């Protein structure tokens, strides 16, 4: 079986860091988001096809240098085709059924159970749904008593949302859906394709447990905390020798952190320099950034080569590449 992973978005809600780093390569709990997403694939998946677009070359280079456990093939769009267009462009040789995945979904789901549900009901597809407090930023489903999806509305207002059950960005679909996507123009899978598939029976796989779309700063940092707590970090999580405070942290061995204090849930990337008495909590620091002596970074993302000046406090911020704070 194959998985189709959509990875071509602009990551607008994580700007300015995504001006230089594609969202999927932002490290959380010690490794890029994309690798956590690929970790969720069960062993029955023999290949993941990555439908890339924005910064496809950056992703391709990284993936070639750091081969994931599952074999991957990348298919890049020359212009943004939307989620449906990306599926059409890259999904030419999908298995039947295939797994469809957004590349910013961090969850503790049983993907094997999702695939079993698809085989069991025999409809055209199965969408994993999770229940959330505010469904308006997501795709929302209306269900009947058998958990068949009757209606699907992408990003409705809170009042218009037919339920609080939303598309978790993970589904199992028959191969024929690829041929149902219009060719030659940008297409939104969620808005323009899924509603037309409902007549061919799409069922919900209601998932419980942790789920997060790591596409905004708050949600990304929440996903990072979960990955640490779930023991899914990319490297050791105790604080390095010569530092104080508490973990979990994921500090690249090439980083200099002597004398720093940690407050938990922190990723420090390669060649970062953290000065003495600096304090880091609930944050992601990208490669070659500098956090000077006595500075603090809390609930924030610091871009590559950015600099936080001595004694300065960064809180609830996203700093882009080479930014100064
Ligand atoms: N190849 C390609 N081309 N991929 C794209 C494109 C494109 O033009 N646009 C977006 N993507 C990728 C993104 O990189 C991401 O992995 C995925 O498609 C979904 O895009 P997002 O921008 O993250 O969408 P969203 O979070 O607003 O909404 C989607 O995810 C929600 C759950 O997290 C929808 O699928 C919602 O229905 C869903 O509830
Ligand atoms: Mg998203």
């Amino acid at each position: 079986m194959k998985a189709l992973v959509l990875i071509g978005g602009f990551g607008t809600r994580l700007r300015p860091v995504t001006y230089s780093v594609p969202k999927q390569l932002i490290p959380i709990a010690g490794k890029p988001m994309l690798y956590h997403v690929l970790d969720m694939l069960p062993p029955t998946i023999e290949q993941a096809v990555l439908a890339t677009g924005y910064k496809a070359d950056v992703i391709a280079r990284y993936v070639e240098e750091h081969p994931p456990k599952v074999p991957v093939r990348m298919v890049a769009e020359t212009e943004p085709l939307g989620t449906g267009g990306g599926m059409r462009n890259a999904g030419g040789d999908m298995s039947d059924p295939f797994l469809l995945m957004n590349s910013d979904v961090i969850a503790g789901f049983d993907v094997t159970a999702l695939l079993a549900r698809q085989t069991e009901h025999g409809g055209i597809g199965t969408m994993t749904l999770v229940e959330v407090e505010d469904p308006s930023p997501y795709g929302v489903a209306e269900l009947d008593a058998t958990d068949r999806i009757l209606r699907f509305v992408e990003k409705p207002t809170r009042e218009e949302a037919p339920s609080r059950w939303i598309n978790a960005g993970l589904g199992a679909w028959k191969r024929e859906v690829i041929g149902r996507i219009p060719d030659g123009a940008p297409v939104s899978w969620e808005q323009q394709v899924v509603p037309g598939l409902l007549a061919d029976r799409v069922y919900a796989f209601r998932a419980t447990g942790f789920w997060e779309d790591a596409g905004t700063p708050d949600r990304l940092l929440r996903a990072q905390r979960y990955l640490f707590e779930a023991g899914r970090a990319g490297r050791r999580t105790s604080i390095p020798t010569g530092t104080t405070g508490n973990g979990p942290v994921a500090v690249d061995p090439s980083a200099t952190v002597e004398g720093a204090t940690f407050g938990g849930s922190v990723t420090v990337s390669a060649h970062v320099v953290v000065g003495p008495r600096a304090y880091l909590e609930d944050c992601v620091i990208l490669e070659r950034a500098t956090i000077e002596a006595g500075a603090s970074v809390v609930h924030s993302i610091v871009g590559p080569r950015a600099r936080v000046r001595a004694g300065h406090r960064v809180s609830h911020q996203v700093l882009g590449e080479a930014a100064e704070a």
Side-chain angles (χ1 to χ4, degrees):
M1 194 177 297
K2 294 190 185 189
L4 182 54
V5 184
L6 292 167
I7 176 177
F10 288 96
T12 51
R13 290 163 289 187
L14 285 164
R15 284 176 180 167
V17 71
T18 44
Y19 283 125
S20 58
V21 183
K23 169 165 78 173
Q24 292 80 10
L25 292 188
I26 296 177
I28 49 176
K31 65 182 177 188
M33 188 189 298
L34 172 65
Y35 289 70
H36 289 291
V37 169
L38 295 176
D39 278 352
M40 286 177 60
L41 299 176
T44 44
I45 300 293
E46 291 142 347
Q47 186 189 51
V49 175
L50 310 184
T52 57
Y54 181 63
K55 296 205 181 285
D57 52 334
V58 180
I59 296 170
R61 205 175 321 126
Y62 191 94
V63 168
E64 273 149 28
E65 285 168 10
H66 306 84
K69 277 174 235 139
V70 59
V72 295
R73 191 163 72 79
M74 281 166 283
V75 183
E77 291 153 42
T78 46
E79 55 190 282
L81 293 174
T83 46
M87 288 171 65
R88 170 102 200 190
N89 187 56
D93 66 344
M94 277 300 110
S95 55
D96 194 16
F98 67 97
L99 194 68
L100 174 67
M101 219 170 165
N102 290 350
S103 60
D104 54 7
V105 169
I106 302 294
F109 301 157
D110 181 355
V111 180
T112 305
L114 159 70
L115 296 169
R117 172 108 172 101
Q118 170 61 23
T119 313
E120 173 195 297
H121 66 64
I124 200 164
T126 309
M127 210 181 235
T128 304
L129 301 184
V130 288
E131 195 176 24
V132 296
E133 195 45 49
D134 174 13
S136 60
Y138 304 107
V140 190
E142 182 183 330
L143 303 162
D144 75 5
T146 66
D147 272 357
R148 180 173 167 184
I149 299 179
L150 301 177
R151 199 154 65 92
F152 184 76
V153 202
E154 183 66 18
K155 302 194 173 71
T157 62
R158 225 169 157 155
E159 296 69 43
E160 284 165 358
S163 78
R164 293 201 290 122
W165 287 88
I166 61 127
N167 171 20
L170 180 65
W173 297 88
K174 284 192 175 168
R175 182 169 52 204
E176 63 177 278
V177 302
I178 301 286
R180 304 267 290 264
I181 302 169
D183 204 0
V187 179
S188 161
W189 162 252
E190 296 86 350
Q191 288 175 39
Q192 294 161 264
V193 185
V194 170
L197 300 175
L198 301 181
D200 296 296
R201 291 193 296 128
V202 178
Y203 286 90
F205 171 68
R206 294 193 200 229
T208 50
F210 184 86
W211 174 86
E212 198 66 79
D213 168 334
T216 71
D218 283 345
R219 298 193 217 140
L220 181 145
L221 293 169
R222 222 163 27 228
Q224 166 161 272
R225 196 168 279 278
Y226 160 76
L227 290 166
F228 275 126
E229 281 165 9
R232 286 166 55 183
R235 55 178 77 246
R236 67 185 276 266
T237 59
S238 50
I239 59 168
T241 41
T243 66
T244 53
N246 52 275
V249 297
V251 177
D252 189 278
S254 67
T256 307
V257 291
E258 192 81 31
T261 302
F262 291 101
S265 201
V266 173
T267 293
V268 175
S269 306
H271 308 294
V272 164
V273 177
V274 184
R277 300 175 319 282
Y279 178 73
L280 303 182
E281 177 189 331
D282 195 29
C283 62
V284 168
I285 315 292
L286 281 90
E287 69 278 355
R288 295 180 198 278
T290 305
I291 315 298
E292 293 182 352
S296 75
V297 180
V298 175
H299 199 77
S300 295
I301 301 168
V302 175
R305 280 170 282 272
R307 188 166 73 101
V308 179
R309 288 189 311 268
H312 198 82
R313 285 167 192 278
V314 167
S315 174
H316 290 78
Q317 280 186 59
V318 178
L319 302 182
E321 170 141 23
E324 302 255 337

